[in-house]
Amino acid sequence: MDIENKVYSTTAEPVRFKKGKLRIIHITDTHYDFDNVDASVRLLEEACKREKPDLAIVTGDNVDNFDECTDTKKLIDKLMSVFDEQCIPVAITFGNHDSERGAMSREELMAHYNTHKSSISVDDGDELSGCGTYNIPVLSSDSEKVKFNIWVFDSNDYDEEGRYGCVLPDQVEWYKKRSDELAQANGGEKVYSLAFQHMIVADVYDALKKSKVRVPFSYKHMYNKKEFYYFDPKGTNFGTLTETPCSGYHNYGQFEAMVEKGDVLAIFSGHDHTNGFGVRHKGIDISNTVSTRYNRDRFSSQYGYRIIDVDEKDTSVYTSRVMHWYNMFSAEDVKMLEKSGDAFGAELAKNVRCNGFKQKLFQSFLLALGRLSSLRKISYPD
């Protein structure tokens, strides 16, 4: 297939388990511009070298969209170069910012992503709302049997009133039909899966504990400022909730459809830059991953990525962890970079360590204060 002309992008070989294992790196909200791209790309390169993922999934707000297409394409090329050079297949979808301004539409952006050899992204054409809703079958290590599945959704940008978007009814119906097709091809047995998109599902609020008054480490409902939400001590929670979950305003039943089908283990989103949490609701983990960029300020040191591991022996479970930039480099790493003459890398590593130290102190103080004042456990290890 001519890589320059492909619409439905394919790789030379399908995604499959390797020696029984599948590792996914979830990358989101890179927000690359010409000020932050070099540092951010360098950190992403290092993350991929260390983690050695089998698949990368990028869930929106990827690069700034300029009035000059050539500028936008340069940033896309920088992002994709990481995966091209390390031979990591990557699936792309979009967020609310990707096409809200600039010259390139979602379809034009996807077409350029698909000029890169690492892209396995799909432009669904006129079949579905948005651009970038598709699934990725994961084959067995030693056969052509589909052992697992990845769902990728375009959660769109804004509704007619300018509120955050969500997965729309035709996309929900597509999911239900495709889920049934996968099960039928699997002898009637559901194919376990993970789902990825930019905007978190509105059902997250049903999994959190509601309060009519502000309590320590609670956050206002996105659309009802008189309600406050925090981890339910009786529920299953993990990671850190540090800001309001910014879901779409409407809810067209995407999450309930997944509950009905019973094949989705977790649904991962981005959008909320500092949230790195998960809550279990009706058997599905609703999770958010921190922003994957670096702006050299104190708070961006807490950004990073998520790693998800699946074992072919039991695809009904998975493990997941958030990695923050401030945990990336050791003092020994800085010395090695300096010794090798890599001045840019050494300076970046020092900035991450220094800013991260400040951030960890600040967070530790706030968390200790919150536990003391609320007499409850308010955050959980990543």
Side-chain angles (χ1 to χ4, degrees):
M1 178 181 290
D2 183 352
I3 200 166
E4 295 295 328
N5 296 323
K6 64 183 180 180
V7 175
Y8 292 86
S9 176
T10 60
T11 50
E13 295 185 6
V15 176
R16 62 172 69 243
F17 285 91
K18 294 181 180 178
K19 297 182 179 179
K21 309 292 184 182
L22 175 70
R23 170 162 288 187
I24 300 167
I25 184 169
H26 180 204
I27 298 158
T28 190
D29 295 82
T30 49
H31 285 280
Y32 285 173
D33 58 37
F34 288 107
D35 291 327
N36 69 26
V37 66
D38 290 336
S40 295
V41 165
R42 182 62 182 275
L43 289 174
L44 182 56
E45 287 174 341
E46 186 66 24
C48 289
K49 286 177 182 177
R50 295 182 183 213
E51 302 287 1
K52 296 180 172 53
D54 303 304
L55 174 65
I57 303 180
V58 182
T59 55
D61 288 2
N62 304 327
V63 307
D64 277 7
N65 195 338
F66 294 92
D67 292 335
E68 294 292 334
C69 295
T70 53
D71 290 333
T72 306
K73 290 179 179 180
K74 285 177 183 177
L75 291 174
I76 291 175
D77 293 342
K78 282 182 175 287
L79 171 61
M80 295 298 287
S81 68
V82 178
F83 313 114
D84 288 347
E85 291 169 7
Q86 298 191 41
C87 299
I88 302 168
V90 56
I92 301 286
T93 192
F94 298 113
N96 53 301
H97 288 310
D98 288 282
S99 58
E100 70 178 349
R101 65 179 181 85
M104 298 182 71
S105 67
R106 272 163 142 72
E107 289 74 20
E108 290 168 329
L109 290 167
M110 186 66 87
H112 191 69
Y113 282 109
N114 281 346
T115 64
H116 287 266
K117 63 182 181 181
S118 58
S119 176
I120 58 169
S121 308
V122 175
D123 176 355
D124 38 275
D126 295 331
E127 178 186 358
L128 296 171
S129 297
C131 176
T133 296
Y134 52 100
N135 74 289
I136 305 167
V138 182
L139 304 185
S140 170
S141 298
D142 55 7
S143 75
E144 300 307 301
K145 179 179 176 60
V146 176
K147 290 286 292 184
F148 200 67
N149 185 58
I150 305 294
W151 302 101
V152 182
F153 293 93
D154 180 1
S155 54
N156 298 286
D157 46 17
Y158 304 96
D159 67 12
E160 64 281 356
E161 302 296 328
R163 299 165 298 208
Y164 288 132
C166 63
V167 171
L168 297 176
D170 64 319
Q171 295 168 287
V172 176
E173 291 305 310
W174 168 85
Y175 156 73
K176 293 195 291 188
K177 179 181 178 183
R178 185 69 183 125
S179 177
D180 288 342
E181 291 171 349
L182 287 168
Q184 183 177 5
N186 193 41
E189 295 292 327
K190 60 189 173 188
V191 178
Y192 286 111
S193 58
L194 299 172
F196 295 83
Q197 61 193 56
H198 184 71
M199 228 80 73
I200 197 166
V201 292
D203 308 76
V204 66
Y205 286 106
D206 296 327
L208 296 169
K209 190 170 181 62
K210 182 171 72 172
S211 173
K212 292 295 185 181
V213 296
R214 185 185 291 278
V215 297
F217 288 83
S218 65
Y219 300 90
K220 290 180 180 179
H221 190 287
M222 183 65 197
Y223 303 103
N224 186 343
K225 304 306 182 184
K226 295 182 180 180
E227 295 178 355
F228 300 86
Y229 289 82
Y230 57 95
F231 281 147
D232 185 346
K234 296 181 180 179
T236 300
N237 315 279
F238 48 91
T240 51
L241 174 65
T242 60
E243 62 176 303
T244 294
C246 298
S247 68
Y249 181 80
H250 296 287
N251 185 350
Y252 295 107
Q254 177 196 9
F255 182 80
E256 287 300 326
M258 291 176 172
V259 173
E260 174 192 336
K261 296 302 177 184
D263 56 349
V264 176
L265 306 176
I267 179 167
F268 297 96
S269 60
H271 188 49
D272 306 330
H273 292 181
T274 61
N275 277 339
F277 76 95
V279 288
R280 187 160 297 160
H281 183 52
K282 297 185 177 180
I284 299 176
D285 293 336
I286 304 174
S287 295
N288 203 92
T289 299
V290 294
S291 171
T292 313
R293 66 170 172 178
Y294 186 65
N295 286 336
R296 290 186 170 86
D297 60 24
R298 176 167 63 87
F299 288 98
S300 74
S301 65
Q302 75 186 65
Y303 297 162
Y305 57 89
R306 182 181 291 278
I307 290 293
I308 303 153
D309 289 302
V310 183
D311 193 314
E312 186 176 3
K313 292 179 181 178
D314 185 1
T315 58
S316 68
V317 295
Y318 73 97
T319 60
S320 172
R321 57 182 166 84
V322 167
M323 182 69 176
H324 296 101
W325 294 138
Y326 57 56
N327 287 326
M328 176 82 81
F329 297 102
S330 66
E332 187 62 29
D333 289 328
V334 176
K335 290 179 182 178
M336 290 179 64
L337 288 166
E338 289 175 335
K339 188 175 180 180
S340 69
D342 185 353
F344 178 75
E347 185 64 23
L348 176 58
K350 283 192 285 189
N351 283 337
V352 169
R353 279 175 53 77
C354 179
N355 290 334
F357 178 73
K358 297 175 186 176
Q359 182 64 28
K360 285 188 280 188
L361 279 180
F362 178 71
Q363 285 182 313
S364 296
F365 171 76
L366 287 181
L367 293 176
L369 183 64
R371 289 190 183 99
L372 185 63
S373 61
S374 66
L375 299 178
R376 62 183 174 85
K377 191 173 184 180
I378 54 172
S379 72
Y380 300 80
D382 287 323

